[in-house]
Amino acid sequence: YQRSVHGEYNWDCNSTARQRLNLLLIQALSAVYQSRLPYHFTSGATASNDELYSGNKEYLKYIEETAGKLAKSVLVDLTEWKKNDNTQKVSTMSLEFLNVIVGYGAPCKPLDALAAELKGLVGSRPPADQFGPKTMAALDRWRAAVADQ
């Protein structure tokens, strides 16, 4: 069984490649959403991308909507995997998604709700590598920042 994305590529449903690609795209969107980009430059008449787009509400809304669609797609797959009792895959991908939220998301209530849902999907025992405990500790600090708002 394979799913077709944009009618161009068939993803193997047993793979996590599409979900990982979605998380990478969310990271990229997060980078261009910043009001001041790390590669800002001034060069005469040439304007930097952050000068051109950072105040454009339509552009920012588009980024938010696109990132939301990508996140929803990952959540749909996580829910489906959970129904099929694929606990390890759900836990690992949920942890990777949490890492993206903690690393790239600004602490806010909507992301906090998503983080709480993902933390539940990770379960009480995250994968026993260094990635799991560090992400969960960072998540606790991140969620405390939301609570302080």
Side-chain angles (χ1 to χ4, degrees), residues 27-59:
Q27 291 174 33
L29 289 170
S30 174
V32 297
Y33 191 84
Q34 298 175 58
S35 59
R36 185 154 175 94
L37 297 173
Y39 57 83
H40 177 83
F41 66 91
T42 52
S43 175
T46 304
S48 188
N49 280 348
D50 49 1
E51 289 178 29
L52 294 171
Y53 301 110
S54 68
N56 185 325
K57 293 188 186 318
E58 288 180 32
Y59 177 71

Side-chain angles (χ1 to χ4, degrees), residues 4 16 34 36 46 52-53 55 62 72 88 102-103 120 123 130 138 140 146 149:
S4 178
T16 59
Q34 298 175 58
R36 185 154 175 94
T46 304
L52 294 171
Y53 301 110
Y62 174 77
K72 184 175 182 178
Q88 183 62 37
V102 170
Q130 294 214 356
D140 290 340
V146 173
Q149 291 181 347

